[in-house]
Protein backbone atom coordinates (compact mmCIF):
# COMPACT_ATOMS: atom_id res chain seq x y z
CA UNK A 1 0.00 0.00 0.00
CA UNK A 2 2.89 2.29 -0.66
CA UNK A 3 0.75 4.13 -3.13
CA UNK A 4 -1.52 5.48 -0.44
CA UNK A 5 1.09 5.93 2.25
CA UNK A 6 3.72 7.68 0.19
CA UNK A 7 1.76 9.75 -2.22
CA UNK A 8 -0.79 12.34 -1.26
CA UNK A 9 -4.37 11.28 -1.18
CA UNK A 10 -5.33 12.93 -4.46
CA UNK A 11 -3.36 10.20 -6.06
CA UNK A 12 -5.74 7.73 -4.55
CA UNK A 13 -8.80 9.67 -5.62
CA UNK A 14 -7.44 10.09 -9.06
CA UNK A 15 -7.01 6.40 -9.36
CA UNK A 16 -10.55 5.80 -8.42
CA UNK A 17 -11.90 8.51 -10.70
CA UNK A 18 -9.77 7.78 -13.69
CA UNK A 19 -9.10 4.13 -13.39
CA UNK A 20 -6.11 2.88 -15.21
CA UNK A 21 -6.12 -0.63 -16.49
CA UNK A 22 -3.23 -1.74 -14.36
CA UNK A 23 -4.64 -0.47 -11.14
CA UNK A 24 -8.00 -1.98 -11.70
CA UNK A 25 -6.55 -5.34 -12.44
CA UNK A 26 -5.00 -5.52 -9.03
CA UNK A 27 -7.21 -7.62 -6.86
CA UNK A 28 -6.70 -5.95 -3.55
CA UNK A 29 -6.50 -2.35 -4.65
CA UNK A 30 -10.09 -1.21 -4.85
CA UNK A 31 -10.92 -2.59 -1.44
CA UNK A 32 -7.91 -1.11 0.26
CA UNK A 33 -8.39 2.18 -1.50
CA UNK A 34 -11.92 2.47 -0.20
CA UNK A 35 -10.83 1.63 3.31
CA UNK A 36 -8.15 4.26 3.35
CA UNK A 37 -10.47 6.87 2.00
CA UNK A 38 -12.63 6.34 5.03
CA UNK A 39 -9.92 7.40 7.50
CA UNK A 40 -9.98 11.15 7.80
CA UNK A 41 -6.58 11.79 9.37
CA UNK A 42 -4.82 10.21 6.45
CA UNK A 43 -6.41 12.65 4.10
CA UNK A 44 -5.73 15.64 6.35
CA UNK A 45 -2.10 14.86 6.89
CA UNK A 46 -1.53 14.95 3.20
CA UNK A 47 -1.74 18.72 3.25
CA UNK A 48 -3.75 19.02 0.09
CA UNK A 49 -6.62 21.26 0.64
CA UNK A 50 -10.22 20.84 -0.26
CA UNK A 51 -9.92 17.19 -1.06
CA UNK A 52 -9.99 16.42 2.64
CA UNK A 53 -13.46 17.85 2.80
CA UNK A 54 -14.64 15.50 0.18
CA UNK A 55 -14.40 11.93 -0.65
CA UNK A 56 -15.17 10.37 2.71
CA UNK A 57 -17.29 7.70 1.21
CA UNK A 58 -19.22 10.25 -0.79
CA UNK A 59 -19.22 10.17 -4.51
CA UNK A 60 -16.82 12.74 -5.86
CA UNK A 61 -18.38 15.94 -7.17
CA UNK A 62 -17.25 18.50 -9.68
CA UNK A 63 -15.26 20.57 -7.14
CA UNK A 64 -13.15 17.64 -6.23
CA UNK A 65 -12.62 16.91 -9.84
CA UNK A 66 -11.63 20.50 -10.48
CA UNK A 67 -9.14 20.57 -7.65
CA UNK A 68 -7.93 17.31 -8.77
CA UNK A 69 -7.34 18.63 -12.21
CA UNK A 70 -5.28 21.53 -10.81
CA UNK A 71 -3.20 19.31 -8.66
CA UNK A 72 -2.69 16.99 -11.49
CA UNK A 73 -1.47 19.76 -13.66
CA UNK A 74 1.18 20.66 -11.08
CA UNK A 75 2.34 17.41 -9.78
CA UNK A 76 0.46 14.91 -11.84
CA UNK A 77 3.38 14.14 -14.06
CA UNK A 78 5.58 13.02 -11.20
CA UNK A 79 2.82 11.08 -9.58
CA UNK A 80 2.03 9.50 -12.86
CA UNK A 81 5.62 8.47 -13.23
CA UNK A 82 5.67 7.15 -9.68
CA UNK A 83 2.52 5.24 -10.33
CA UNK A 84 3.89 4.00 -13.56
CA UNK A 85 7.08 3.01 -11.83
CA UNK A 86 5.15 1.12 -9.19
CA UNK A 87 2.92 -0.36 -11.83
CA UNK A 88 5.93 -1.35 -13.81
CA UNK A 89 7.50 -2.87 -10.74
CA UNK A 90 4.40 -4.88 -10.09
CA UNK A 91 4.26 -6.01 -13.70
CA UNK A 92 7.92 -6.91 -13.63
CA UNK A 93 7.45 -8.89 -10.46
CA UNK A 94 4.56 -10.79 -11.94
CA UNK A 95 6.42 -11.43 -15.17
CA UNK A 96 9.40 -12.62 -13.16
CA UNK A 97 7.18 -14.90 -11.16
CA UNK A 98 5.70 -16.37 -14.32
CA UNK A 99 9.13 -16.74 -15.89
CA UNK A 100 10.42 -18.55 -12.82
CA UNK A 101 7.42 -20.83 -12.87
CA UNK A 102 8.08 -21.60 -16.51
CA UNK A 103 11.73 -22.31 -15.82
CA UNK A 104 10.75 -24.59 -12.97
CA UNK A 105 8.40 -26.57 -15.16
CA UNK A 106 10.99 -26.82 -17.92
CA UNK A 107 13.60 -28.09 -15.49
CA UNK A 108 11.21 -30.63 -14.03
CA UNK A 109 10.07 -32.01 -17.36
CA UNK A 110 13.60 -31.93 -18.72
CA UNK A 111 14.72 -34.07 -15.81
CA UNK A 112 11.85 -36.50 -16.30
CA UNK A 113 12.74 -36.71 -19.99
CA UNK A 114 16.37 -37.37 -19.17
CA UNK A 115 15.41 -40.17 -16.78
CA UNK A 116 13.08 -41.68 -19.35
CA UNK A 117 15.69 -41.65 -22.12
CA UNK A 118 18.47 -42.83 -19.90
CA UNK A 119 16.75 -45.59 -17.96
CA UNK A 120 13.74 -46.67 -19.96
CA UNK A 121 14.43 -46.45 -23.66
CA UNK A 122 14.71 -44.36 -26.77
CA UNK A 123 13.75 -44.40 -30.42
CA UNK A 124 16.57 -44.92 -32.87
CA UNK A 125 16.68 -44.33 -36.60
CA UNK A 126 19.08 -46.77 -38.17
CA UNK A 127 21.13 -46.22 -41.27
CA UNK A 128 23.54 -48.43 -43.12
CA UNK A 129 23.57 -51.90 -44.62
CA UNK A 130 25.38 -53.83 -41.93
CA UNK A 131 22.30 -55.43 -40.36
CA UNK A 132 20.45 -56.55 -43.49
CA UNK A 133 17.97 -58.21 -43.70
CA UNK A 134 16.97 -57.73 -40.07
CA UNK A 135 17.29 -53.94 -40.02
CA UNK A 136 17.65 -51.92 -43.20
CA UNK A 137 18.28 -48.27 -43.93
CA UNK A 138 15.83 -45.76 -42.37
CA UNK A 139 14.18 -48.22 -40.04
CA UNK A 140 12.96 -46.88 -36.73
CA UNK A 141 13.50 -49.17 -33.77
CA UNK A 142 12.94 -48.91 -30.06
CA UNK A 143 15.93 -49.69 -27.86
CA UNK A 144 15.28 -50.28 -24.20
CA UNK A 145 17.89 -49.44 -21.60
CA UNK A 146 16.64 -51.50 -18.68
CA UNK A 147 18.45 -54.68 -19.61
CA UNK A 148 21.66 -52.80 -20.08
CA UNK A 149 21.50 -51.33 -16.59
CA UNK A 150 20.48 -54.63 -15.07
CA UNK A 151 23.24 -56.47 -16.98
CA UNK A 152 20.78 -58.74 -18.75
CA UNK A 153 22.09 -58.47 -22.30
CA UNK A 154 22.20 -61.94 -23.81
CA UNK A 155 23.77 -63.67 -26.77
CA UNK A 156 21.74 -63.03 -29.89
CA UNK A 157 20.42 -59.63 -28.76
CA UNK A 158 20.70 -56.72 -31.12
CA UNK A 159 22.25 -53.80 -29.27
CA UNK A 160 23.03 -50.16 -29.87
CA UNK A 161 26.54 -49.37 -28.69
CA UNK A 162 28.86 -46.39 -28.78
CA UNK A 163 31.44 -46.75 -31.48
CA UNK A 164 34.86 -47.81 -30.25
CA UNK A 165 36.71 -45.32 -32.41
CA UNK A 166 34.34 -42.37 -32.07
CA UNK A 167 32.15 -42.20 -28.96
CA UNK A 168 29.81 -39.72 -30.58
CA UNK A 169 28.72 -42.30 -33.15
CA UNK A 170 26.57 -45.30 -32.41
CA UNK A 171 26.59 -48.71 -33.99
CA UNK A 172 23.82 -51.26 -34.14
CA UNK A 173 25.04 -54.85 -34.08
CA UNK A 174 24.16 -58.24 -32.75
CA UNK A 175 25.82 -59.78 -29.72
CA UNK A 176 27.53 -62.96 -30.84
CA UNK A 177 29.40 -63.71 -27.62
CA UNK A 178 29.49 -62.52 -24.03
CA UNK A 179 32.51 -62.51 -21.77
CA UNK A 180 34.15 -65.90 -21.65
CA UNK A 181 32.38 -67.19 -24.75
CA UNK A 182 34.20 -68.75 -27.67
CA UNK A 183 33.78 -66.84 -30.91
CA UNK A 184 34.91 -67.54 -34.41
CA UNK A 185 37.18 -64.83 -35.71
CA UNK A 186 37.65 -66.15 -39.21
CA UNK A 187 35.11 -65.53 -41.93
CA UNK A 188 32.40 -68.02 -42.88
CA UNK A 189 34.10 -68.73 -46.17
CA UNK A 190 37.54 -69.52 -44.69
CA UNK A 191 38.67 -73.10 -44.62
CA UNK A 192 40.69 -72.91 -41.45
CA UNK A 193 38.66 -71.51 -38.62
CA UNK A 194 40.22 -69.55 -35.79
CA UNK A 195 38.60 -69.00 -32.47
CA UNK A 196 39.13 -66.71 -29.57
CA UNK A 197 37.58 -66.18 -26.18
CA UNK A 198 35.87 -62.93 -25.35
CA UNK A 199 37.73 -61.22 -22.47
CA UNK A 200 36.10 -60.24 -19.18
CA UNK A 201 33.86 -57.19 -19.33
CA UNK A 202 33.60 -57.28 -23.14
CA UNK A 203 31.17 -58.48 -25.79
CA UNK A 204 31.63 -59.59 -29.37
CA UNK A 205 29.48 -57.77 -31.86
CA UNK A 206 28.78 -58.70 -35.46
CA UNK A 207 26.37 -57.35 -38.02
CA UNK A 208 23.87 -59.65 -39.68
CA UNK A 209 25.20 -58.71 -43.11
CA UNK A 210 28.60 -60.30 -42.71
CA UNK A 211 29.82 -59.25 -46.12
CA UNK A 212 29.30 -55.55 -45.46
CA UNK A 213 29.79 -54.95 -41.78
CA UNK A 214 32.69 -53.56 -39.80
CA UNK A 215 32.37 -55.06 -36.36
CA UNK A 216 34.34 -56.98 -33.78
CA UNK A 217 35.95 -58.97 -36.54
CA UNK A 218 37.89 -55.86 -37.41
CA UNK A 219 38.08 -53.85 -34.19
CA UNK A 220 37.99 -56.55 -31.58
CA UNK A 221 35.77 -57.10 -28.57
CA UNK A 222 33.81 -54.13 -27.30
CA UNK A 223 33.65 -53.21 -23.58
CA UNK A 224 30.22 -53.92 -22.12
CA UNK A 225 29.83 -50.39 -20.78
CA UNK A 226 29.75 -48.97 -24.30
CA UNK A 227 26.42 -50.68 -24.91
CA UNK A 228 23.58 -48.19 -24.74
CA UNK A 229 20.53 -50.39 -25.09
CA UNK A 230 18.95 -53.50 -26.52
CA UNK A 231 16.82 -53.21 -29.63
CA UNK A 232 13.57 -54.92 -28.79
CA UNK A 233 11.07 -53.79 -31.41
CA UNK A 234 10.97 -52.41 -34.88
CA UNK A 235 8.47 -49.58 -35.29
CA UNK A 236 8.86 -48.51 -38.92
CA UNK A 237 8.28 -49.44 -41.76
CA UNK A 238 4.76 -50.59 -40.96
CA UNK A 239 4.97 -53.89 -42.78
CA UNK A 240 7.75 -55.15 -40.53
CA UNK A 241 6.62 -53.87 -37.16
CA UNK A 242 7.30 -56.34 -34.38
CA UNK A 243 9.96 -57.95 -32.24
CA UNK A 244 13.41 -58.61 -33.64
CA UNK A 245 14.22 -61.88 -35.35
CA UNK A 246 16.90 -64.42 -34.61
CA UNK A 247 20.32 -64.23 -36.14
CA UNK A 248 20.32 -65.40 -39.76
CA UNK A 249 24.07 -65.89 -39.84
CA UNK A 250 24.44 -68.87 -37.57
CA UNK A 251 27.61 -67.46 -36.05
CA UNK A 252 26.53 -67.88 -32.45
CA UNK A 253 28.31 -70.80 -30.88
CA UNK A 254 25.89 -72.29 -28.38
CA UNK A 255 27.50 -73.42 -25.18
CA UNK A 256 26.34 -76.79 -23.95
CA UNK A 257 24.61 -76.60 -20.55
CA UNK A 258 26.56 -78.25 -17.79
CA UNK A 259 24.18 -81.00 -16.76
CA UNK A 260 26.62 -82.78 -14.52
CA UNK A 261 26.66 -80.06 -11.89
CA UNK A 262 23.31 -80.82 -10.28
CA UNK B 1 -10.70 -34.59 9.04
CA UNK B 2 -7.51 -36.33 9.95
CA UNK B 3 -8.00 -38.66 7.03
CA UNK B 4 -8.32 -35.73 4.67
CA UNK B 5 -5.19 -34.16 6.07
CA UNK B 6 -3.42 -37.46 5.73
CA UNK B 7 -4.49 -37.78 2.12
CA UNK B 8 -3.39 -34.27 1.34
CA UNK B 9 -0.07 -34.97 2.97
CA UNK B 10 0.29 -38.12 0.90
CA UNK B 11 -0.50 -36.24 -2.29
CA UNK B 12 2.04 -33.59 -1.44
CA UNK B 13 4.62 -36.23 -0.65
CA UNK B 14 4.04 -38.13 -3.89
CA UNK B 15 4.08 -34.88 -5.88
CA UNK B 16 7.32 -33.84 -4.26
CA UNK B 17 8.76 -37.28 -4.82
CA UNK B 18 8.10 -37.10 -8.52
CA UNK B 19 9.89 -33.79 -8.68
CA UNK B 20 12.80 -34.59 -6.41
CA UNK B 21 13.79 -37.99 -7.78
CA UNK B 22 14.14 -37.12 -11.48
CA UNK B 23 15.91 -33.85 -10.66
CA UNK B 24 18.36 -35.58 -8.34
CA UNK B 25 19.00 -38.38 -10.79
CA UNK B 26 19.55 -35.91 -13.62
CA UNK B 27 21.94 -33.82 -11.55
CA UNK B 28 23.94 -36.88 -10.55
CA UNK B 29 24.05 -38.11 -14.13
CA UNK B 30 24.71 -34.87 -15.94
CA UNK B 31 26.23 -32.35 -13.58
CA UNK B 32 28.45 -33.81 -10.88
CA UNK B 33 28.57 -36.36 -8.12
CA UNK B 34 30.77 -37.23 -5.20
CA UNK B 35 32.70 -40.43 -4.75
CA UNK B 36 35.13 -41.94 -2.33
CA UNK B 37 38.49 -43.00 -3.69
CA UNK B 38 39.49 -46.45 -2.61
CA UNK B 39 42.81 -48.08 -3.13
CA UNK B 40 46.35 -46.89 -3.45
CA UNK B 41 46.79 -46.68 -7.19
CA UNK B 42 46.87 -42.88 -7.22
CA UNK B 43 49.22 -42.37 -4.29
CA UNK B 44 50.69 -40.02 -3.26
CA UNK B 45 48.26 -37.62 -4.83
CA UNK B 46 45.04 -39.29 -3.73
CA UNK B 47 44.68 -41.33 -0.53
CA UNK B 48 48.16 -40.56 0.81
CA UNK B 49 47.30 -42.19 4.13
CA UNK B 50 46.08 -45.33 2.49
CA UNK B 51 43.15 -47.27 3.90
CA UNK B 52 42.85 -45.29 7.14
CA UNK B 53 41.58 -42.09 5.52
CA UNK B 54 40.01 -42.21 2.08
CA UNK B 55 39.72 -39.07 0.00
CA UNK B 56 36.38 -38.00 -1.35
CA UNK B 57 36.46 -36.29 -4.73
CA UNK B 58 33.95 -34.29 -6.73
CA UNK B 59 33.51 -35.81 -10.18
CA UNK B 60 32.38 -33.34 -12.78
CA UNK B 61 30.20 -35.03 -15.39
CA UNK B 62 29.34 -31.84 -17.25
CA UNK B 63 32.95 -31.35 -18.29
CA UNK B 64 33.16 -34.69 -20.06
CA UNK B 65 29.81 -34.52 -21.81
CA UNK B 66 31.63 -33.98 -25.13
CA UNK B 67 34.43 -36.35 -24.19
CA UNK B 68 37.00 -33.56 -23.99
CA UNK B 69 39.92 -34.32 -21.72
CA UNK B 70 43.52 -33.21 -21.65
CA UNK B 71 46.74 -34.90 -20.71
CA UNK B 72 47.30 -34.79 -16.98
CA UNK B 73 43.63 -34.71 -16.02
CA UNK B 74 42.45 -37.12 -13.37
CA UNK B 75 39.39 -38.87 -14.70
CA UNK B 76 37.06 -41.63 -13.70
CA UNK B 77 36.33 -44.28 -16.30
CA UNK B 78 34.18 -47.38 -16.27
CA UNK B 79 36.56 -50.27 -15.88
CA UNK B 80 36.94 -52.23 -19.14
CA UNK B 81 37.35 -55.36 -17.06
CA UNK B 82 34.25 -54.86 -14.94
CA UNK B 83 31.41 -52.67 -16.15
CA UNK B 84 30.04 -52.27 -12.62
CA UNK B 85 33.17 -50.57 -11.34
CA UNK B 86 34.61 -47.13 -11.91
CA UNK B 87 38.32 -46.52 -11.71
CA UNK B 88 40.06 -43.20 -11.23
CA UNK B 89 43.33 -42.61 -13.03
CA UNK B 90 45.36 -39.92 -14.75
CA UNK B 91 45.23 -39.35 -18.50
CA UNK B 92 48.74 -39.74 -19.87
CA UNK B 93 48.13 -39.69 -23.61
CA UNK B 94 45.33 -38.90 -26.03
CA UNK B 95 44.45 -40.47 -29.36
CA UNK B 96 47.24 -40.36 -31.90
CA UNK B 97 50.03 -39.96 -29.34
CA UNK B 98 53.04 -42.18 -29.49
CA UNK B 99 54.04 -43.38 -26.05
CA UNK B 100 56.41 -45.67 -24.26
CA UNK B 101 54.54 -48.08 -22.02
CA UNK B 102 55.68 -49.33 -18.64
CA UNK B 103 54.49 -52.90 -18.54
CA UNK B 104 52.27 -53.46 -21.54
CA UNK B 105 52.77 -56.20 -24.10
CA UNK B 106 54.11 -53.63 -26.60
CA UNK B 107 56.99 -51.42 -25.59
CA UNK B 108 55.96 -48.52 -27.81
CA UNK B 109 52.50 -47.87 -29.02
CA UNK B 110 50.38 -45.36 -30.86
CA UNK B 111 47.15 -44.69 -28.97
CA UNK B 112 44.35 -45.59 -31.41
CA UNK B 113 41.66 -43.14 -32.46
CA UNK B 114 38.94 -42.68 -29.90
CA UNK B 115 41.07 -44.10 -27.08
CA UNK B 116 43.02 -42.82 -24.10
CA UNK B 117 46.01 -44.05 -22.19
CA UNK B 118 45.47 -43.82 -18.45
CA UNK B 119 47.84 -44.64 -15.63
CA UNK B 120 47.77 -44.51 -11.88
CA UNK B 121 50.39 -42.38 -10.16
CA UNK B 122 51.53 -45.26 -7.99
CA UNK B 123 53.55 -47.34 -10.42
CA UNK B 124 53.38 -51.03 -9.97
CA UNK B 125 50.30 -50.87 -7.73
CA UNK B 126 47.87 -49.77 -10.35
CA UNK B 127 45.52 -51.61 -12.64
CA UNK B 128 45.55 -49.30 -15.65
CA UNK B 129 46.31 -49.15 -19.35
CA UNK B 130 49.57 -50.93 -18.71
CA UNK B 131 47.54 -54.05 -18.06
CA UNK B 132 44.42 -53.68 -20.17
CA UNK B 133 45.61 -51.39 -22.92
CA UNK B 134 44.15 -48.16 -24.24
CA UNK B 135 40.61 -47.44 -23.05
CA UNK B 136 37.87 -46.17 -25.30
CA UNK B 137 36.82 -42.55 -24.77
CA UNK B 138 33.23 -43.73 -24.57
CA UNK B 139 34.03 -45.24 -21.18
CA UNK B 140 34.90 -41.83 -19.78
CA UNK B 141 32.67 -41.13 -16.81
CA UNK B 142 33.81 -38.00 -15.01
CA UNK B 143 36.57 -35.49 -14.45
CA UNK B 144 37.86 -35.22 -10.88
CA UNK B 145 37.88 -31.52 -10.19
CA UNK B 146 38.18 -31.14 -6.41
CA UNK B 147 39.13 -33.13 -3.36
CA UNK B 148 36.43 -32.32 -0.85
CA UNK B 149 37.25 -34.57 2.12
CA UNK B 150 39.11 -34.66 4.49
CA UNK B 151 38.86 -30.93 5.13
CA UNK B 152 42.60 -30.43 5.50
CA UNK B 153 43.03 -31.77 1.98
CA UNK B 154 40.38 -29.56 0.39
CA UNK B 155 41.85 -28.43 -2.93
CA UNK B 156 41.22 -27.99 -6.59
CA UNK B 157 42.85 -30.72 -8.62
CA UNK B 158 45.24 -29.20 -11.15
CA UNK B 159 46.30 -30.86 -14.34
CA UNK B 160 49.82 -32.25 -14.14
CA UNK B 161 51.72 -34.94 -16.00
CA UNK B 162 54.52 -36.90 -14.38
CA UNK B 163 57.75 -35.71 -15.97
CA UNK B 164 58.80 -38.94 -17.51
CA UNK B 165 55.38 -40.07 -18.65
CA UNK B 166 54.51 -37.65 -21.38
CA UNK B 167 53.98 -38.77 -24.97
CA UNK B 168 57.07 -39.15 -27.13
CA UNK B 169 55.36 -37.81 -30.18
CA UNK B 170 52.23 -35.83 -29.70
CA UNK B 171 49.56 -35.60 -32.32
CA UNK B 172 48.20 -32.42 -30.72
CA UNK B 173 51.47 -30.54 -30.14
CA UNK B 174 50.86 -27.95 -32.83
CA UNK B 175 47.40 -27.11 -31.49
CA UNK B 176 48.73 -26.76 -27.94
CA UNK B 177 51.39 -24.28 -28.95
CA UNK B 178 48.92 -22.11 -30.75
CA UNK B 179 46.41 -22.25 -27.92
Amino acid sequence: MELCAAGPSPTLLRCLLLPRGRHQSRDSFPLRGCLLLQTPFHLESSGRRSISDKGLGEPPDTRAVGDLGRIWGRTGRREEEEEEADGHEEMLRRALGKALGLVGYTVQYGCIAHCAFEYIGEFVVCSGPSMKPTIVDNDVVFSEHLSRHLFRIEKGDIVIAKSLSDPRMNVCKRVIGLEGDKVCTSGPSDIFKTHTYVPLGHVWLEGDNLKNSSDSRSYGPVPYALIRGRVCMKLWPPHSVGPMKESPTGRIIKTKPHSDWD
Amino acid sequence: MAQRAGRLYLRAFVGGFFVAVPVTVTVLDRVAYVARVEGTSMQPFLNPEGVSACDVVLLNRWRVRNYEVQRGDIVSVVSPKNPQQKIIKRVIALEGDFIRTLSYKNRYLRVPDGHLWIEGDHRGHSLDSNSFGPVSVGLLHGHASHIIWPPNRWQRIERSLPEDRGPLLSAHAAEEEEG
Side-chain angles (χ1 to χ4, degrees):
Chain A
M1 285 326 292
E2 60 278 7
L3 196 63
C4 298
S9 45
T11 313
L12 200 60
L13 251 184
R14 184 158 57 93
C15 293
L16 286 177
L17 287 174
L18 312 158
R20 292 177 200 277
R22 54 177 169 268
H23 292 305
Q24 276 198 327
S25 60
R26 264 193 269 166
D27 296 333
S28 56
F29 179 72
L31 192 60
R32 284 197 221 167
C34 295
L35 280 173
L36 266 176
L37 270 181
Q38 306 297 331
T39 53
F41 57 82
H42 191 83
L43 291 171
E44 281 165 41
S45 66
S46 70
R48 301 282 177 198
R49 67 170 193 83
S50 85
I51 304 300
S52 51
D53 302 323
K54 301 268 164 220
L56 288 169
E58 285 177 274
D61 64 7
T62 49
R63 219 178 97 190
V65 175
D67 289 330
L68 203 58
R70 232 183 332 122
I71 290 160
W72 186 349
R74 246 190 292 136
T75 59
R77 280 289 152 247
R78 193 177 1 111
E79 286 156 21
E80 201 176 288
E81 278 162 21
E82 268 177 33
E83 267 176 36
E84 267 183 32
D86 287 334
H88 278 151
E89 218 179 278
E90 188 69 25
M91 253 174 73
L92 214 67
R93 221 175 292 140
R94 240 180 304 157
L96 198 69
K98 276 200 195 132
L100 278 177
L102 194 68
V103 166
Y105 271 124
T106 312
V107 164
Q108 184 187 346
Y109 287 119
C111 294
I112 293 179
H114 164 87
C115 289
F117 288 133
E118 181 74 28
Y119 295 103
I120 300 180
E122 61 186 353
F123 299 99
V124 183
V125 180
C126 304
S127 65
S130 63
M131 283 295 290
K132 280 188 186 159
T134 320
I135 301 176
V136 299
D137 215 14
N138 289 331
D139 279 357
V140 177
V141 298
F142 182 73
S143 95
E144 51 98 357
H145 295 174
L146 285 167
S147 23
R148 177 244 184 266
H149 285 288
L150 299 173
F151 300 98
R152 284 189 194 279
I153 302 276
E154 282 160 21
K155 251 197 311 209
D157 285 345
I158 302 182
V159 296
I160 308 276
K162 286 191 230 178
S163 166
L164 206 58
S165 47
D166 182 2
R168 296 181 189 92
M169 307 267 297
N170 298 314
V171 296
C172 176
K173 303 279 181 236
R174 199 183 281 273
V175 174
I176 301 296
L178 298 170
E179 63 185 13
D181 287 343
K182 188 171 169 187
V183 290
C184 179
T185 50
S186 55
S189 47
D190 293 350
I191 303 169
F192 295 108
K193 304 222 176 280
T194 53
H195 293 99
T196 180
Y197 289 91
V198 181
L200 270 179
H202 289 67
V203 294
W204 190 268
L205 302 179
E206 278 182 16
D208 284 351
N209 186 4
L210 288 170
K211 290 189 181 57
N212 196 358
S213 165
S214 84
D215 44 36
S216 289
R217 290 172 298 160
S218 43
Y219 48 67
V222 173
Y224 182 96
L226 288 182
I227 293 178
R228 288 178 67 137
R230 182 180 72 96
V231 173
C232 57
M233 268 199 62
K234 202 197 281 203
L235 301 172
W236 188 267
H239 60 81
S240 53
V241 169
M244 306 310 299
K245 299 184 191 55
E246 294 272 312
S247 168
T249 56
R251 298 269 294 173
I252 297 178
I253 298 173
K254 298 219 184 315
T255 49
K256 288 192 269 291
H258 292 265
S259 53
D260 50 349
W261 283 4
D262 295 336
Chain B
M1 189 78 155
Q3 198 182 37
R4 189 148 167 234
R7 201 171 298 158
L8 282 173
Y9 182 71
L10 187 70
R11 271 182 62 184
F13 179 76
V14 167
F17 183 81
F18 278 113
V19 170
V21 166
V23 172
T24 312
V25 167
T26 305
V27 166
L28 293 178
D29 275 350
R30 294 262 177 184
V31 180
Y33 70 105
V34 195
R36 213 158 68 118
V37 177
E38 279 165 18
T40 57
S41 62
M42 284 298 288
Q43 279 183 345
F45 188 73
L46 292 176
N47 279 6
E49 275 120 62
V51 192
S52 52
C54 284
D55 285 350
V56 175
V57 294
L58 181 71
L59 290 162
N60 188 346
R61 300 218 59 197
W62 186 253
R63 225 14 227 262
V64 298
R65 70 192 185 282
N66 290 326
Y67 305 108
E68 279 159 14
V69 281
Q70 308 214 355
R71 293 180 202 86
D73 279 346
I74 298 189
V75 294
S76 79
V77 301
V78 181
S79 168
K81 289 285 166 210
N82 180 2
Q84 292 172 320
Q85 193 187 39
K86 314 269 183 313
I87 56 179
I88 184 162
K89 301 280 181 266
R90 198 181 286 276
V91 174
I92 300 293
L94 304 173
E95 66 182 7
D97 289 350
F98 204 74
I99 54 158
R100 177 179 66 88
T101 68
L102 293 174
S103 51
Y104 191 52
K105 55 184 181 192
N106 301 337
R107 189 81 177 130
Y108 295 94
L109 147 82
R110 178 194 176 272
V111 179
D113 288 345
H115 286 70
L116 300 170
W117 188 268
I118 57 174
E119 280 181 11
D121 288 349
H122 197 179
R123 302 222 192 127
H125 288 77
S126 166
L127 192 70
D128 52 26
S129 287
N130 286 309
S131 46
F132 46 68
V135 304
S136 174
V137 175
L139 294 175
L140 200 57
H141 199 71
H143 167 261
S145 59
H146 293 78
I147 300 178
I148 61 176
W149 189 267
N152 56 317
R153 284 184 42 79
W154 211 101
Q155 62 185 275
R156 199 179 120 90
I157 297 181
E158 301 294 339
R159 185 184 308 147
S160 81
L161 263 183
E163 266 124 32
D164 57 337
R165 291 307 301 141
L168 303 170
L169 276 174
S170 167
H172 303 268
E175 289 159 30
E176 274 173 13
E177 276 160 19
E178 280 166 57

